[in-house]
Amino acid sequence: MPILKYRCTSCGKEFAKIFSNPDNAPQACPVCHASNPEELGPAFRYDQEMIRRALCTSCDECDSGEVACSVKSSS
């Protein structure tokens, strides 16, 4: 099930919605009840480089640009 992020075009409130069917997309802002909020895309994004650095705790090879780290070379 996707979790999408929306922004109200009237009040600017951002919110996320989980749904399994596109017909269940939010039709109104949960704060001001204005219609047709703008879809911003996925609520969660990941950064592969950030994940790689978080997993690499045993050395500083990732920072030096070397590909000696098994985490870095597995991509």
Side-chain angles (χ1 to χ4, degrees):
M1 285 188 275
I3 302 174
L4 296 177
K5 191 171 181 181
Y6 295 87
R7 179 181 319 141
C8 177
T9 55
S10 294
C11 72
K13 171 71 177 172
E14 290 187 3
F15 59 97
K17 171 89 173 155
I18 300 172
F19 57 92
S20 58
N21 182 339
D23 295 335
N24 293 339
Q27 301 299 312
C29 173
V31 175
C32 73
H33 307 290
S35 61
N36 298 320
E38 169 187 23
E39 183 181 318
L40 300 175
F44 302 100
R45 298 181 192 264
Y46 69 92
D47 179 347
Q48 274 189 328
E49 187 62 27
M50 182 181 72
I51 292 170
R52 216 179 269 128
R53 288 176 191 273
L55 292 173
C56 189
T57 58
S58 62
C59 67
D60 293 324
E61 295 300 319
C62 293
D63 290 331
S64 70
E66 296 294 321
V67 188
C69 178
S70 63
V71 174
K72 179 123 179 150
S73 62
S74 66
S75 59

